[in-house]
Amino acid sequence: MDRFGAMLARHALSAQLALVLLALLCAAFWPPAQGRMLLVPVSSGAATHMLARAVDGGAQLLGTGPIPGSFVITGSHLAVASALTGEAVLILAAPPALCGGVAA
């Protein structure tokens, strides 16, 4: 194998490992259709009305999240996402190990 082939193989392996890691992260934090979710504001403007709009969409507040300004809620992902349309908010799964193990 020439020098270019070795470099290509090394980068291909790195790219594959990065894709596997990304797939695992997406699977772990993909929000459920119904259940516990973590709302994370991406901007300070989004944090202002985020919780009120989520509750208006049918969510119930369970507590604060592990990230400053974030909240753990329970509800329907579709309803919460619809209520937060146009807001800079990430809706993630809220695993009990990372989000305080708040009972739903």
Side-chain angles (χ1 to χ4, degrees):
M1 187 179 300
D2 63 354
R3 195 169 121 179
F4 177 74
M7 185 176 64
L8 182 63
R10 183 174 55 246
H11 289 294
L13 179 61
S14 298
Q16 289 173 357
L17 290 174
L19 286 174
V20 167
L21 180 62
L22 179 63
L24 289 173
L25 286 172
C26 285
F29 291 103
W30 195 263
Q34 179 74 32
R36 297 166 44 95
M37 291 170 268
L38 179 66
L39 301 179
V40 182
V42 178
S43 68
S44 59
T48 307
H49 302 289
M50 171 183 73
L51 187 58
R53 288 184 66 180
V55 170
D56 288 344
Q60 293 179 332
L61 176 64
L62 296 178
T64 58
I67 301 168
S70 66
F71 293 97
V72 180
I73 60 161
T74 186
S76 165
H77 178 256
L78 183 60
V80 171
S82 294
L84 293 173
T85 299
E87 295 288 334
V89 177
L90 288 175
I91 304 173
L92 305 171
L98 296 177
C99 295
V102 181

